[in-house]
Amino acid sequence: MEKPIKFTDFLYQGYTDSLGGGVSSNFFHDHVFVDIISLENLFLAWHEFKKGKAKKPDVQEFEFNIEENIFQLHEELKSWTYQHSRYTAFYITDPKLRHIHKACVRDRVLHHAIFRILYPIFDKSFIFDSFSCRLNKGTHRAVRRLKRFAQRLSRDDSRNIFALKCDVKKFFDSIVHQILLELIQEKIKDEDAVWLVRKIIQSFKVQNDKGLPIGNVTSQLFANIYLNELDRFVKHKLAIKYYLRYCDDFVILSSDSCHLLDIVGRIQDFLNSRLKLSLHPNKVIIRKHNQGIDFLGYVVRPYCITLRTKTKNRMLRKVSTKNLTSYLGILKHCAGYKLEKKVTDTTTII
């Protein structure tokens, strides 16, 4: 019997195609459920899940009988008797108020197990310039990419260009379960895997079979699967070269502001007809590059990247010896020498 393929390196160390032609699509489509519920995958998911959470009481309680809990989860999945538990709801400010729904430890371990297997299947179909919750992407790479786009289109800042910045209105609450499932089934043909994914998706709803919980790691992947339709529409149907997206925020650059005004309507029509989404009317903004493009906490300007004023003020208000290192890390990605000295001096005084 051949040794089963491990997925440990797919997500956290990157996938190296050591198998020549890579893992075949048939493998993914035909064995997804078996791979998700395997004891090996469940234990690996547990180890990934508990990083940074080892001192949490609910995590410690689950770990006390870890083998029994994992084996029981495996048996419930294997016999199709698994049921998702209810969520615990609470609010956080990061900085804006968000309604978080937290699943129990057992369910969150399963979310990680599903994510580990589905991520490499779907990630290869995403466009390069989708930066949210993906390996080797993230906010800082997105901002640097936007800066490179602006330099290229403006010919090294020698001519002015325009940026269209948009936000999808109540994105996570508006995701339609059936549309999401249909998109997933385009790649996942394993009926047992579809049953399990449906269980996870339908474990939460805002109203009328809509909505995903922000707290689930699977929601991050599902969000990218959903908005990959928008990405492909913009890149292939509208033939937009300078486009990038982070979650439900996206930016398009052009040398023609009238062109940007024209495509807003086309994007809105597509979102509504294909995904039952809409743009936030107060967050559709067209700005000149020399005014600064506000994106992901930074402002991209000709010749430099600066920190957003609100972010800077919040940093000065909340900086302490406990979070100084984190804030200094943020400042490394922009022109923040003076601010770095200011926050360092502030913590010294404290």
Side-chain angles (χ1 to χ4, degrees):
M1 181 181 294
E2 292 185 0
K3 186 177 180 181
I5 296 173
K6 295 184 179 181
F7 289 86
T8 311
D9 295 335
F10 270 122
L11 188 53
Y12 292 94
Q13 299 176 16
Y15 175 50
T16 302
D17 188 1
S18 58
L19 302 177
V23 183
S24 72
S25 59
N26 287 334
F27 175 86
F28 284 130
H29 292 178
D30 297 342
H31 303 86
V32 175
F33 184 70
V34 172
D35 293 329
I36 290 172
I37 74 167
S38 72
L39 288 170
E40 177 186 37
N41 188 53
L42 291 174
F43 275 106
L44 286 171
W46 157 251
H47 286 293
E48 291 168 1
F49 160 76
K50 74 172 185 176
K51 291 177 183 177
K53 307 182 189 74
K55 295 182 180 180
K56 302 278 186 180
D58 55 347
V59 176
Q60 290 179 341
E61 182 181 354
F62 190 86
E63 188 171 25
F64 187 76
N65 294 306
I66 184 61
E67 290 192 2
E68 180 181 339
N69 287 330
I70 294 293
F71 274 87
Q72 181 179 344
L73 176 59
H74 170 73
E75 288 302 320
E76 289 179 14
L77 292 166
K78 187 178 178 181
S79 60
W80 303 290
T81 59
Y82 166 79
Q83 295 294 329
H84 198 286
S85 301
R86 298 182 67 178
Y87 290 88
T88 301
F90 57 94
Y91 289 91
I92 64 169
T93 305
D94 71 336
K96 69 179 181 180
L97 193 67
R98 293 185 185 276
H99 198 190
I100 304 298
H101 292 81
K102 178 182 174 183
C104 69
V105 172
R106 180 193 70 147
D107 292 332
R108 284 185 284 162
V109 171
L110 177 58
H111 298 165
H112 276 261
I114 293 170
F115 185 89
R116 296 185 75 257
I117 303 304
L118 294 192
Y119 176 87
I121 298 175
F122 284 94
D123 187 71
K124 66 180 72 174
S125 67
F126 297 155
I127 67 167
F128 181 86
D129 291 309
S130 165
F131 286 88
S132 176
C133 304
R134 297 179 63 196
L135 185 67
N136 297 323
K137 299 291 182 177
T139 56
H140 298 135
R141 282 188 169 90
V143 172
R144 289 198 298 270
R145 180 72 165 172
L146 178 58
K147 177 64 176 174
R148 284 196 294 272
F149 275 176
Q151 287 178 320
R152 195 177 304 163
L153 185 60
S154 66
R155 297 178 184 174
D156 291 326
D157 304 317
S158 65
R159 65 176 186 175
N160 201 27
I161 59 173
F162 301 87
L164 167 66
K165 186 170 178 290
C166 298
D167 181 297
V168 178
K169 184 179 180 181
K170 295 182 178 179
F171 171 57
F172 280 94
D173 286 350
S174 303
I175 292 175
V176 179
H177 292 177
Q178 186 56 39
I179 294 175
L180 174 59
L181 278 167
E182 289 171 359
L183 293 173
I184 291 172
Q185 286 179 276
E186 288 180 7
K187 289 189 176 295
I188 305 301
K189 307 302 180 184
D190 184 332
E191 292 183 3
D192 294 333
V194 172
W195 165 81
L196 179 56
V197 169
R198 183 182 290 109
K199 280 277 187 185
I200 303 302
I201 293 173
Q202 294 180 345
S203 67
F204 175 89
K205 68 178 179 179
V206 177
Q207 59 178 355
N208 300 326
D209 295 323
K210 289 183 180 181
L212 293 178
I214 295 177
N216 285 7
V217 67
T218 47
S219 295
Q220 301 168 3
L221 175 61
F222 294 158
N224 275 333
I225 293 171
Y226 209 78
L227 285 182
N228 186 49
E229 296 299 294
L230 170 65
D231 297 340
R232 293 195 297 179
F233 173 75
V234 173
K235 296 292 287 186
H236 303 309
K237 296 294 183 181
L238 299 183
I240 302 296
K241 183 176 182 180
Y242 299 109
Y243 163 87
L244 55 84
R245 178 180 62 80
Y246 187 96
C247 195
D248 59 338
D249 293 329
F250 61 91
V251 177
I252 297 173
L253 301 183
S254 175
S255 56
D256 184 353
S257 61
C258 293
H259 175 62
L260 293 178
L261 282 171
D262 176 61
I263 64 176
V264 169
R266 298 179 66 182
I267 290 173
Q268 177 62 79
D269 289 344
F270 173 81
L271 285 172
N272 183 259
S273 62
R274 179 70 179 96
L275 301 174
K276 306 305 177 188
L277 300 174
S278 61
L279 295 176
H280 197 300
N282 299 327
K283 296 183 179 180
V284 177
I285 301 168
I286 296 178
R287 290 175 64 87
K288 294 179 180 179
H289 178 216
N290 59 19
Q291 293 176 304
I293 307 169
D294 190 330
F295 190 54
L296 303 178
Y298 296 91
V299 180
V300 176
R301 306 178 186 277
Y303 310 111
C304 71
I305 298 172
T306 59
L307 202 63
R308 179 190 291 163
T309 301
K310 287 184 179 179
T311 307
K312 179 176 67 175
N313 292 338
R314 186 172 66 254
M315 181 182 295
L316 290 171
R317 188 173 63 251
K318 294 189 174 183
V319 67
S320 67
T321 53
K322 292 182 178 180
N323 59 28
L324 176 61
T325 302
S326 176
Y327 281 140
L328 291 178
I330 292 173
L331 292 173
K332 286 181 179 178
H333 299 276
C334 64
Y337 174 75
K338 290 182 179 179
L339 185 56
E340 180 179 335
K341 187 176 186 304
K342 200 169 184 178
V343 297
T344 303
D345 291 344
T346 300
T347 53
T348 302
I349 294 172
I350 294 172

